[in-house]
Amino acid sequence: MTEQQLQAALKKFEELVREQSERSDRIKADKEYLDFDKLDKIIIGVCGGDGIGPIITKESARVLEYMLADEVKAGKIEFKVIDGLTIENRIAKMKPIPDDVLEELKKCHVILKGPTTTPQAGSDMPNIESANVAMRKALDLFANVRPVKIPEQGIDWTFFRENTEGAYAVGSKGVNVDDDLAFDFVVTTTEGTQRIARLAYEYARKNHKDRVSIINKANVIKTTDGKFLNLCREISKDYPEITTDEWYIDIATAKLVDEKRRRDFKVFILPNLYGDILTDEAAEFQGGVGTAGSANLGKRYAMFEAIHGSAPRMIDEGRGQYADPCSMLRASVMLLSHIGRQEKADLLEKALDICMFDEAKLKITGRSDGATCEQFGDYVMETVKKLSE
């Protein structure tokens, strides 16, 4: 390593420190949450993404429009279609979210967003940051909430994954010091940790969950994970009726497979990377990542999405019409709940339980031997109608 290379690396690190310090100041200053009850009209953005994203997002929006038809007609809810988040457009603009797309997103209160392709390191595509990561940072969607529920197995888990910090905060801004040495960075702030912990404990209290588990690796990653753990511990003191336990990420991953021990878990608080990994494992118990949706919550904005990728192979093989919309429909349940339409959220969730498991008459296989995305959407709406009668 030459002196010039060292100084260049130090300069890059200084830039990152200043950038993250400014972000920390901004999130500390922002205290006000959006109150949907005070809005004359709720604007729901529909942003398809790429791959199978536009297909499953369009179908989920169609189900939502069906369920919210009276309010749409009355002008209380508006659906706004936002294009331009395809991988081709992002590469053409060399931005994870093109400026005009981000401007349109900011005009919405909640966003139903399809999967997007993220270029992989070493691929022939440019090193563009994940659109998901960029959106979470741009809209300050600090909480990724993912529920997994399988009553017959005693599984009722809700994951609160910190969404804007950790290993993903500056994931595209690492430093190749020279040919032999590379660094990436993990970011943890006081406000960033406190607000995800507070949200998790408030959820546990309101939903009568008696246990919160703090997931970390503070025995090895002592500074950032240690800070995360200690701040969560402090927040837990305000909720004495809730049992708090602590798990290292490796053993927590193992214990989710333990049929006896996993029944004890209720609510999880996790740093960004661990949350991404553990929620995908958890979704497998429910039937795979194709069955699970997630909410990305901030103080002003919220975004709802599937937890899986854009499945470009399905498009390449001409199978896009057979894509499974269940993950986006599960996310739509969370969207309805977030905007205060809890009865409709419960109705859609019940319909999905029937259509996916209890009395399923159509099967999604991802191929021509199964139902199309549109056929499944029709089935869900027919079931909603029957349940409403």
Side-chain angles (χ1 to χ4, degrees), residues 114-182:
T116 49
T117 301
T118 302
Q120 186 177 10
S123 73
D124 57 359
M125 289 190 282
N127 179 27
I128 298 174
E129 183 182 33
S130 159
N132 273 11
V133 173
M135 191 178 297
R136 290 163 185 165
K137 289 192 288 189
L139 303 182
D140 198 25
L141 305 175
F142 66 85
N144 184 253
V145 184
R146 297 183 178 181
V148 172
K149 190 173 183 179
I150 313 169
E152 63 271 21
Q153 295 185 30
I155 292 174
D156 184 5
W157 302 330
T158 307
F159 296 85
F160 283 79
R161 167 191 170 192
E162 201 293 315
N163 222 8
T164 59
E165 299 188 349
Y168 289 4
V170 288
S172 63
K173 298 180 180 180
V175 177
N176 285 298
V177 180
D178 58 20
D179 290 341
D180 296 319
L181 181 62

Side-chain angles (χ1 to χ4, degrees), residues 284-300:
E284 283 298 309
F285 293 102
Q286 188 173 266
V289 293
T291 68
S294 69
N296 298 267
L297 308 179
K299 295 176 181 178
R300 168 66 179 82

Side-chain angles (χ1 to χ4, degrees), residues 52-345:
I52 64 170
I55 298 167
I56 61 176
T57 306
K58 180 180 178 181
E59 199 56 41
S60 299
R62 189 166 73 97
V63 172
L64 282 174
E65 287 174 359
Y66 170 76
M67 298 189 70
L68 298 169
D70 290 343
E71 292 188 87
V72 171
K73 187 176 180 180
K76 294 181 179 179
I77 290 178
E78 175 187 341
F79 285 84
K80 182 182 181 67
V81 176
I82 301 170
D83 295 318
L85 207 59
T86 62
I87 184 61
E88 293 83 6
N89 192 42
R90 286 182 281 137
I91 287 176
K93 302 289 178 61
M94 283 304 293
K95 289 194 171 184
I97 306 175
D99 292 342
D100 57 335
V101 176
L102 183 58
E103 187 134 346
E104 290 301 305
L105 291 170
K106 288 183 175 180
K107 294 176 183 177
C108 305
H109 301 108
V110 295
I111 300 156
L112 185 67
K113 178 198 158 293
T116 49
T117 301
T118 302
Q120 186 177 10
S123 73
D124 57 359
M125 289 190 282
N127 179 27
I128 298 174
E129 183 182 33
S130 159
N132 273 11
V133 173
M135 191 178 297
R136 290 163 185 165
K137 289 192 288 189
L139 303 182
D140 198 25
L141 305 175
F142 66 85
N144 184 253
V145 184
R146 297 183 178 181
V148 172
K149 190 173 183 179
I150 313 169
E152 63 271 21
Q153 295 185 30
I155 292 174
D156 184 5
W157 302 330
T158 307
F159 296 85
F160 283 79
R161 167 191 170 192
E162 201 293 315
N163 222 8
T164 59
E165 299 188 349
Y168 289 4
V170 288
S172 63
K173 298 180 180 180
V175 177
N176 285 298
V177 180
D178 58 20
D179 290 341
D180 296 319
L181 181 62
F183 280 95
D184 273 312
F185 304 98
V186 177
V187 177
T188 300
T189 69
T190 298
E191 176 68 16
T193 303
Q194 286 176 335
R195 62 186 184 177
I196 188 69
R198 182 74 65 187
L199 195 68
Y201 276 100
E202 282 295 314
Y203 171 87
R205 175 175 281 173
K206 289 176 184 176
N207 290 274
H208 310 292
K209 309 291 185 182
D210 60 2
R211 182 179 297 272
V212 172
S213 301
I214 306 168
I215 311 301
N216 65 93
K217 193 61 178 172
N219 58 328
V220 176
I221 306 174
K222 297 181 184 294
T223 303
T224 50
D225 274 31
K227 182 179 181 69
F228 186 90
L229 174 59
N230 288 329
L231 289 168
C232 289
R233 283 172 175 167
E234 286 299 311
I235 295 294
S236 74
K237 294 176 182 178
D238 295 335
Y239 302 85
E241 78 279 15
I242 297 171
T243 298
T244 296
D245 55 20
E246 304 166 8
W247 292 86
Y248 295 139
I249 179 60
D250 46 356
I251 193 63
T253 305
K255 287 303 178 184
L256 288 196
V257 186
D258 184 333
E259 292 185 7
K260 293 182 179 179
R261 186 65 187 86
R262 70 189 183 201
R263 293 169 179 265
D264 295 336
F265 290 111
K266 296 293 191 312
V267 177
F268 300 75
I269 310 172
L270 313 92
N272 208 332
L273 174 60
Y274 308 153
D276 194 3
I277 296 169
L278 208 61
T279 52
D280 279 6
E281 182 197 15
E284 283 298 309
F285 293 102
Q286 188 173 266
V289 293
T291 68
S294 69
N296 298 267
L297 308 179
K299 295 176 181 178
R300 168 66 179 82
Y301 299 100
M303 181 263 282
F304 301 84
E305 62 177 345
I307 72 170
H308 58 72
S310 58
R313 182 181 297 177
M314 289 191 71
I315 299 300
D316 293 343
E317 296 176 357
R319 297 187 288 114
Q321 71 193 87
Y322 299 104
D324 188 343
C326 289
S327 54
M328 289 298 292
L329 288 167
R330 289 289 183 186
S332 299
V333 171
M334 302 174 79
L335 186 155
L336 288 168
S337 178
H338 184 71
I339 64 174
R341 274 58 176 179
Q342 190 60 48
E343 287 187 9
K344 292 187 183 297

Side-chain angles (χ1 to χ4, degrees), residues 326-377:
C326 289
S327 54
M328 289 298 292
L329 288 167
R330 289 289 183 186
S332 299
V333 171
M334 302 174 79
L335 186 155
L336 288 168
S337 178
H338 184 71
I339 64 174
R341 274 58 176 179
Q342 190 60 48
E343 287 187 9
K344 292 187 183 297
D346 294 341
L347 179 60
L348 180 55
E349 184 171 37
K350 187 175 181 180
L352 288 172
D353 287 342
I354 292 171
C355 295
M356 292 172 65
F357 307 117
D358 296 345
E359 301 170 18
K361 296 174 184 175
L362 288 181
K363 187 176 181 181
I364 291 275
T365 66
R367 298 183 181 275
S368 58
D369 60 347
T372 66
C373 183
E374 186 175 359
Q375 286 170 337
F376 192 84

